[in-house]
């Protein structure tokens, strides 16, 4: 069974998707039937392979083994640079305290006690200053930066918020 190939048909024709090539290939009904028989469990291919499929095999299609050697995001090699020079955003949790119990807030859910609950914890001025300086020092190549304020209810610490904005 070829796990790197998926057969399908539409009213307009027969096809297979080759996952290694990331391509959809139109094929004849004869080739479709041949491949479909081969996909069935414990069924050997007795008939001679259609020429169309032989040609596709020579071109690298229908390989039953994955050709993927590594899954890697295109920016993986640049992560260190981004972390050192291109940070664009930071969210500061000024407090865990809240003066509301909004129905949509996961921290206010009565039926889900495994979530964090509200507390009187507040971010210190020193921590906030260090965070903003870290963002400044690590965003040299960023066109703009954003600081988000989160909580609880961050406006309960409005004086701290104003000091941060003033940095």
């Amino acid at each position: 069974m070829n796990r790197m190939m998926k057969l399908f048909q539409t009213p307009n024709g027969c096809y297979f998707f080759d996952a290694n090539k990331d391509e959809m290939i139109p094929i004849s009904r004869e080739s479709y039937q041949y491949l479909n028989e081969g996909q069935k469990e414990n069924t050997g291919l007795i008939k001679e392979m259609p020429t169309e499929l032989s040609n596709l095999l020579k071109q690298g299609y229908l390989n039953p083994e994955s050709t993927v050697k590594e899954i890697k995001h295109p920016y993986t090699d640049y992560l260190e640079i981004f972390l050192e020079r291109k940070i664009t955003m930071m969210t500061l949790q000024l407090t865990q305290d809240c003066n509301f119990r909004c129905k949509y807030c996961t921290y206010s859910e009565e039926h889900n006690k495994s979530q964090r609950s509200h507390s009187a914890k507040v971010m210190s001025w020193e921590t906030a200053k260090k965070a903003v300086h870290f963002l400044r020092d690590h965003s040299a190549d960023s066109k703009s930066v954003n600081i988000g304020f989160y909580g609880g209810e961050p406006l309960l610490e409005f004086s701290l918020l104003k000091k941060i904005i003033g940095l």
Side-chain angles (χ1 to χ4, degrees):
M1 181 180 256
N2 185 341
R3 297 188 188 280
M4 302 308 293
M5 185 249 331
K6 174 71 176 155
L7 285 170
F8 62 98
Q9 40 184 338
T10 69
N12 296 323
C14 300
Y15 309 87
F16 73 87
F17 176 76
D18 189 303
N20 282 318
K21 296 265 193 180
D22 196 24
E23 292 181 38
M24 184 176 68
I25 309 297
I27 53 175
S28 67
R29 182 160 303 285
E30 177 192 16
S31 292
Y32 179 88
Q33 288 171 340
Y34 179 87
L35 291 172
N36 194 37
E37 287 174 24
Q39 289 288 317
K40 294 177 185 170
E41 299 275 338
N42 301 322
T43 305
L45 294 173
I46 300 167
K47 297 190 295 184
E48 185 177 328
M49 181 182 287
T51 306
E52 174 184 37
L53 294 179
S54 296
N55 291 337
L56 286 167
L57 277 170
K58 289 175 189 168
Q59 295 172 38
Y61 292 94
L62 301 167
N63 182 354
E65 300 298 321
S66 175
T67 59
V68 175
K69 302 296 181 230
E70 179 182 28
I71 298 174
K72 183 176 173 181
H73 190 278
Y75 286 148
T76 297
D77 294 336
Y78 306 105
L79 279 179
E80 266 189 56
I81 295 167
F82 284 176
L83 292 173
E84 285 298 319
R85 302 187 55 85
K86 288 187 80 87
I87 295 179
T88 59
M89 171 187 242
M90 177 177 284
T91 302
L92 300 177
Q93 182 181 26
L94 300 185
T95 181
Q96 289 184 358
D97 196 8
C98 185
N99 54 343
F100 298 113
R101 293 297 178 262
C102 301
K103 293 282 185 206
Y104 59 82
C105 180
T106 59
Y107 303 128
S108 295
E109 291 184 60
E110 288 299 316
H111 63 279
N112 191 357
K113 297 292 186 188
S114 65
Q115 286 286 351
R116 180 196 86 192
S117 60
H118 297 289
S119 76
K121 291 182 181 176
V122 175
M123 179 180 282
S124 71
W125 167 239
E126 283 305 311
T127 299
K129 201 165 40 171
K130 284 179 185 176
V132 172
H133 289 161
F134 178 89
L135 178 61
R136 181 199 62 209
D137 295 343
H138 291 84
S139 61
D141 293 336
S142 300
K143 291 181 183 177
S144 64
V145 294
N146 296 295
I147 299 177
F149 298 101
Y150 182 73
E153 174 50 60
L155 293 177
L156 289 176
E157 294 301 319
F158 192 64
S159 60
L160 177 60
L161 193 147
K162 287 192 302 186
K163 277 176 86 172
I164 293 168
I165 291 172
L167 278 175

